[in-house]
Amino acid sequence: MKKISLTGIFLLIASVMMSSKQIELESITNGTFRSQSMAEVNMLSDGETFAQLSSDHRQIVQYSLKTGKEMAVLFDLSHVKDAQFKRIDGYTISPDGLRILIQTNTRKIYRRSFTATYYIYRVDKKSIEPLSTHGAQQTPVFSPDGKQIAFVRDNNIFMVRLSDHTEVQITADGKRNQLINGIPDWVNEEEFGFNCAMVFTSDSRHLVWIRYDEKEVKEFAIPMFKGMKPAHKEFTDYPGTYAYKYPIAGEQNSKVGLWSYDTLTGQTNQLPVPLDVDGYIPRVVMTGNAPHVAVYTLNRHQNCLRIYMVNPHTKACEQIIEEKSDRYIREEVLSGIRFTDGHILLPSDRDGYMHLYLYDLKGRMIRQIESGDYEVSRIYGYDERTGNTYFASHENGATDQRIWVARKNGKRHCLTPQAGWNAATFSSDYRYFIRVWSNINTPIVYSICDKDGKLLHTMIDNSELQEKLSEYQFGKRELFSFTTESGVRLNGWMIKPANFDAGKRYPVVMYQYGGPGSQQVRDAWDIGQAGQGGLLEQYLCQEGFICVCVDNRGTGGRGAAFEKCTYLKLGQLEAYDQVETALWLAKQSYVDKDRIGIWGWSFGGFNTLMSMSEGRPVFRAGIAIAPPTSWRYYDTVYTERFMRTPQENPTGYDDCPISRADKLHGALLLCHGIADDNVHFRNMAEYTEALVQADKDFRQLAYTNRSHSISGGNTRNHLYRQCINFFIEQLKNK
């Protein structure tokens, strides 16, 4: 008995020792704790299978939705003779399934845009040939009949006829920083969330595209240096610049128009879509009603969306839907609209919450799909065969997302009743879906379910990651909510140290983003500054901090009134709520009220500066990474959606970190990438000058040739180390 007891004690001690490993900061950025995922998944047209890129990026594999098992290898790079590439970056399967377009040698441009080299693989002949031999391509698009591919090169559109591989140039007026055909300019790509602005009609006869004339848009030049990882050898002796068109709030945008090409006659025409002189065309989409395409337009204030049915053959243009708001149309409306062969599924917050409305192709509303005091968050589609609608919503609160089906008879059924954060990819006929689920303490699980939500197979459960994490002492992640002094209920999450002692007082680091429609507080695994289950926050907890995140007013998931209340005054209510969070935390017995810090990236950096300059001195230290410091320096589409123009709303624009510089309280660290194409380094330069003139101390880190993500080589590891050390110095060692 004594021997057994000693053995048990030994095992217990060993277990405790194993679970007390300390996480290394570098492991957060090098992928050590990255979860497995199902990447590059495409549902195939048979409704029974899906394709996925292999983990080594050398195969495209077909799987059964019914069994979850591998059925075939659709493409294997190892079996391609004289292959000119070694890695598959992406792929597109033709509508007829006869060809696969292979993407490789990808070169990033902006957030969503890139050039690549594409190859066409014939499935039946197992042969491969380049899409074009005249230079890299952008956004190749198959025609619905699978017989043609249109693509963009150097701002012009080309088309390859696959029967004889003839390449035809469709436009010739494209020129960098002047005219763009078929792909959006910088601001349309960034703020309307797309990288392809051309589409075939469903009968494959016409190609329709948006043309951007950006000649009158002012140019912005970014300084470039030789740098490292990668090194720009062209700047070895002298620095250079990268210049591109970037319209700041209140300035001239690209002039947009709609054009078409007849694949039979070769005729090119401009299509007469009604549009304000300064209006937008944020989408052109294919419809099942050939030869019509659907064209969305927005006025510059972005509070009036119109959808037109356009016939490129006759040039007829008919408005079918108009959606208006007293403030702005959310971007989720534009990205969420779905066209089927006979219907239009339109998301709208016209009753105060985002809900779904069904229209016919003439624009006549048939019915509202569902209703209630909750938000629809994702739209998966409408099944013409059954009349069922599939979507995700926050019916159980903003921090919870589940998948639902609304039947044609009005009844609804939750397909994923398990609490947490659910997302889905449905098969082409809606008989199956891949479910992606996690909660705040459980890594992501990928599984296949049938149309009723019944679990068929678990594809990835990330058990290896959970086993790896179990070796460390991590604090529990907890959701909470509280009410501010002004009566606003806010949601948050908190992570306490693993050895938390309620009798002690801990310093606190508040992370936030807080921008319009965003959500950082979710019952999901991928939370926190660096994601990965709040791993960076766990590192801070390991150093003796409590970590907190609260979604302020203006964030998403809680209806139009909560989200849009920041209209024309970005930063004011958001900062107030972050200060209120700090004051609430200061009342908790386990918080050291004199050692509270705040930080954030991008809008979160702006929110950090506004909060530290709000007037109530609650923050001892803060870090702002890549922050906008005046909305006068940011782009038209995003800024004017929430603020209108500086000419219309000067007082709203005037209240910003720069104007509040003399009110800054607390130690401040500023971090920015010099080559940030999104939030220009100009924001940092002008803000630090304001701090200097206000005689405010601060620290500043500038990262050579780095974009808004401040990454590449060892950059992200270095950035995080500076931030962590700054908080340790300012909140623990003083």
Side-chain angles (χ1 to χ4, degrees):
M1 286 294 294
K2 185 177 181 181
K3 183 177 180 181
I4 294 174
S5 178
L6 289 173
T7 301
I9 292 171
F10 174 78
L11 290 173
L12 178 62
I13 294 172
S15 174
V16 171
M17 290 179 66
M18 283 188 66
S19 64
S20 62
K21 289 173 65 175
Q22 298 290 292
I23 190 172
E24 299 292 333
L25 187 59
E26 190 174 2
S27 66
I28 298 173
T29 59
N30 66 11
T32 298
F33 296 98
R34 188 175 295 126
S35 59
Q36 284 185 281
S37 65
M38 293 182 67
E40 294 291 340
V41 168
N42 278 309
M43 291 294 185
L44 301 184
S45 58
D46 59 13
E48 296 282 347
T49 62
F50 68 93
Q52 185 180 6
L53 192 59
S54 63
S55 59
D56 63 1
H57 287 254
R58 294 183 63 82
Q59 291 183 328
I60 300 172
V61 184
Q62 183 180 14
Y63 294 89
S64 167
L65 285 162
K66 185 177 293 186
T67 67
K69 295 181 179 179
E70 179 180 324
M71 293 182 63
V73 176
L74 301 179
F75 178 82
D76 191 336
L77 188 53
S78 303
H79 295 165
V80 177
K81 294 182 179 179
D82 302 320
Q84 300 298 307
F85 58 98
K86 298 181 179 180
R87 174 189 168 92
I88 306 168
D89 295 334
Y91 67 96
T92 304
I93 299 174
S94 66
D96 57 14
L98 298 178
R99 294 174 174 87
I100 304 176
L101 194 62
I102 307 294
Q103 172 192 330
T104 189
N105 299 326
T106 304
R107 297 289 183 271
K108 184 177 180 180
I109 303 175
Y110 301 123
R111 188 189 299 267
R112 297 173 180 86
S113 55
F114 56 86
T115 63
T117 303
Y118 290 88
Y119 291 86
I120 304 170
Y121 176 70
R122 280 287 299 265
V123 176
D124 55 347
K125 296 182 178 180
K126 293 183 170 49
S127 62
I128 193 166
E129 59 183 334
L131 173 62
S132 174
T133 58
H134 304 297
Q137 305 96 47
Q138 285 184 256
T139 63
V141 178
F142 273 107
S143 61
D145 61 10
K147 295 179 180 179
Q148 303 164 103
I149 298 177
F151 65 87
V152 174
R153 180 172 54 236
D154 298 330
N155 289 6
N156 281 311
I157 299 174
F158 298 78
M159 191 173 70
V160 172
R161 293 188 175 93
L162 298 176
S163 57
D164 57 6
H165 211 83
T166 301
E167 183 174 321
V168 178
Q169 184 166 352
I170 295 175
T171 69
D173 58 353
K175 187 176 181 180
R176 189 178 187 281
N177 283 349
Q178 291 192 30
L179 288 165
I180 310 173
N181 293 287
I183 54 175
D185 64 3
W186 185 93
V187 72
N188 279 269
E189 173 190 330
E190 174 68 22
E191 305 303 358
F192 289 131
F194 70 121
N195 68 357
C196 182
M198 61 181 177
V199 66
F200 280 95
T201 53
S202 57
D203 60 6
S204 299
R205 173 153 181 187
H206 292 88
L207 180 72
V208 182
W209 69 92
I210 306 171
R211 179 179 182 266
Y212 301 83
D213 181 345
E214 58 177 359
K215 290 192 291 290
E216 295 182 21
V217 179
K218 292 180 180 178
E219 203 167 80
F220 193 92
I222 295 173
M224 297 295 296
F225 305 90
K226 178 185 176 184
M228 299 172 67
K229 301 290 180 75
H232 296 269
K233 294 182 180 179
E234 66 271 30
F235 304 131
T236 298
D237 296 325
Y238 288 92
T241 58
Y242 176 81
Y244 68 118
K245 296 301 182 84
Y246 184 104
I248 61 172
E251 293 286 340
Q252 176 69 52
N253 277 313
S254 291
K255 296 176 182 177
V256 294
L258 196 71
W259 291 73
S260 70
Y261 172 78
D262 190 321
T263 62
L264 294 183
T265 67
Q267 186 175 3
T268 300
N269 289 305
Q270 184 172 9
L271 303 178
V273 178
L275 185 69
D276 296 344
V277 174
D278 56 356
Y280 301 105
I281 302 179
R283 290 288 191 283
V284 54
V285 300
M286 185 173 68
T287 75
N289 183 21
H292 296 84
V293 295
V295 181
Y296 310 170
T297 70
L298 275 176
N299 60 334
R300 183 145 181 175
H301 284 162
Q302 300 175 64
N303 62 0
C304 180
L305 165 69
R306 294 187 175 101
I307 302 178
Y308 294 90
M309 279 291 191
V310 181
N311 184 333
H313 188 66
T314 64
K315 296 186 182 180
C317 180
E318 179 186 3
Q319 178 183 314
I320 58 170
I321 290 177
E322 181 177 83
E323 179 77 8
K324 288 187 174 182
S325 170
D326 60 349
R327 297 197 171 184
Y328 56 87
I329 303 293
R330 294 196 237 176
E331 197 280 329
E332 303 95 286
V333 173
L334 305 176
S335 59
I337 299 171
R338 298 289 183 268
F339 278 81
T340 65
D341 288 344
H343 295 87
I344 306 168
L345 194 60
L346 178 77
S348 170
D349 62 5
R350 63 185 65 166
D351 70 354
Y353 292 90
M354 192 70 78
H355 291 301
L356 300 177
Y357 300 82
L358 189 67
Y359 290 77
D360 65 18
L361 294 181
K362 293 291 186 181
R364 295 174 295 220
M365 194 177 94
I366 299 171
R367 68 178 186 276
Q368 183 172 345
I369 298 294
E370 41 68 56
S371 63
D373 293 344
Y374 63 86
E375 292 264 288
V376 167
S377 49
R378 294 191 185 185
I379 298 94
Y380 298 117
Y382 174 78
D383 185 354
E384 286 279 6
R385 181 176 54 87
T386 62
N388 293 339
T389 306
Y390 298 86
F391 59 93
S393 75
H394 300 307
E395 191 157 345
N396 294 281
T399 63
D400 180 281
Q401 179 172 282
R402 305 187 196 186
I403 314 301
W404 290 79
V405 57
R407 311 289 184 193
K408 188 175 183 179
N409 61 11
K411 294 182 179 179
R412 292 183 298 114
H413 174 63
C414 183
L415 300 175
T416 56
Q418 188 174 10
W421 201 262
N422 294 270
T425 301
F426 279 84
S427 63
S428 58
D429 57 7
Y430 299 99
R431 287 189 296 155
Y432 303 95
F433 66 94
I434 296 175
R435 178 198 182 196
V436 184
W437 172 85
S438 70
N439 65 25
I440 200 168
N441 284 296
T442 309
I444 301 172
V445 177
Y446 296 82
S447 54
I448 299 177
C449 301
D450 68 12
K451 61 183 177 62
D452 297 316
K454 180 183 177 182
L455 175 66
L456 300 179
H457 324 281
T458 297
M459 303 297 288
I460 296 174
D461 62 7
N462 274 302
S463 57
E464 291 184 12
L465 174 60
Q466 293 197 63
E467 185 176 346
K468 185 184 296 183
L469 292 171
S470 68
E471 299 175 6
Y472 296 81
Q473 273 194 311
F474 284 153
K476 186 178 180 182
R477 309 156 189 86
E478 301 172 296
L479 293 168
F480 71 95
S481 61
F482 74 99
T483 301
T484 67
E485 287 296 321
S486 57
V488 179
R489 193 76 176 167
L490 300 177
N491 296 323
W493 52 254
M494 181 182 298
I495 308 177
K496 298 173 183 175
N499 58 353
F500 174 74
D501 182 348
K504 293 183 179 180
R505 291 184 179 273
Y506 293 84
V508 173
V509 171
M510 290 170 46
Y511 162 69
Q512 44 67 48
Y513 179 77
S518 65
Q519 271 189 270
Q520 299 299 312
V521 181
R522 300 172 294 134
D523 189 7
W525 177 251
D526 197 24
I527 61 167
Q529 167 59 255
Q532 305 176 80
L535 207 57
L536 192 59
E537 285 73 19
Q538 293 286 7
Y539 185 88
L540 281 163
C541 289
Q542 183 178 279
E543 295 295 322
F545 293 92
I546 289 175
C547 292
V548 173
C549 177
V550 166
D551 276 346
N552 47 248
R553 278 174 289 179
T555 55
R558 297 183 60 179
F562 188 86
E563 179 173 330
K564 296 182 179 182
C565 66
T566 62
Y567 189 57
L568 301 182
K569 51 186 178 183
L570 283 183
Q572 296 178 21
L573 299 178
E574 299 94 322
Y576 177 89
D577 287 350
Q578 293 299 325
V579 171
E580 285 289 298
T581 299
L583 291 171
W584 178 82
L585 287 167
K587 297 176 183 177
Q588 310 310 305
S589 61
Y590 49 83
V591 170
D592 186 337
K593 65 181 180 62
D594 297 319
R595 297 176 186 269
I596 298 176
I598 185 171
W599 71 326
W601 200 310
S602 196
F603 194 101
F606 162 78
N607 207 5
T608 293
L609 299 178
M610 292 292 280
S611 300
M612 294 179 71
S613 312
E614 192 258 4
R616 291 175 285 178
V618 297
F619 297 110
R620 183 162 178 167
I623 302 172
I625 305 174
T629 59
S630 169
W631 293 112
R632 284 185 167 87
Y633 303 151
Y634 202 56
D635 73 61
T636 49
V637 176
Y638 182 92
T639 309
E640 294 173 14
R641 182 185 301 155
F642 311 117
M643 295 284 283
R644 296 206 170 184
T645 65
Q647 296 87 343
E648 296 171 290
N649 180 27
T651 56
Y653 280 82
D654 286 345
D655 191 359
C656 64
I658 291 176
S659 66
R660 290 186 177 192
D662 61 333
K663 298 179 182 177
L664 177 71
H665 181 273
L668 176 63
L669 173 63
L670 298 164
C671 312
H672 216 116
I674 295 176
D676 191 332
D677 64 281
N678 187 347
V679 180
H680 298 142
F681 191 77
R682 170 191 190 184
N683 288 268
M684 183 67 69
E686 299 291 358
Y687 180 61
T688 54
E689 172 65 5
L691 291 177
V692 169
Q693 299 311 320
D695 200 28
K696 294 290 184 177
D697 294 331
F698 62 93
R699 296 185 195 176
Q700 181 181 6
L701 289 171
Y703 286 91
T704 303
N705 292 351
R706 300 308 171 192
S707 67
H708 196 55
S709 66
I710 313 183
S711 59
N714 186 55
T715 305
R716 184 64 67 84
N717 180 57
H718 183 276
L719 170 66
Y720 282 159
R721 188 171 69 249
Q722 308 315 306
C723 294
I724 298 298
N725 289 343
F726 181 78
F727 277 138
I728 290 174
E729 174 190 333
Q730 298 297 327
L731 300 180
K732 284 189 67 181
N733 296 342
K734 285 191 175 183

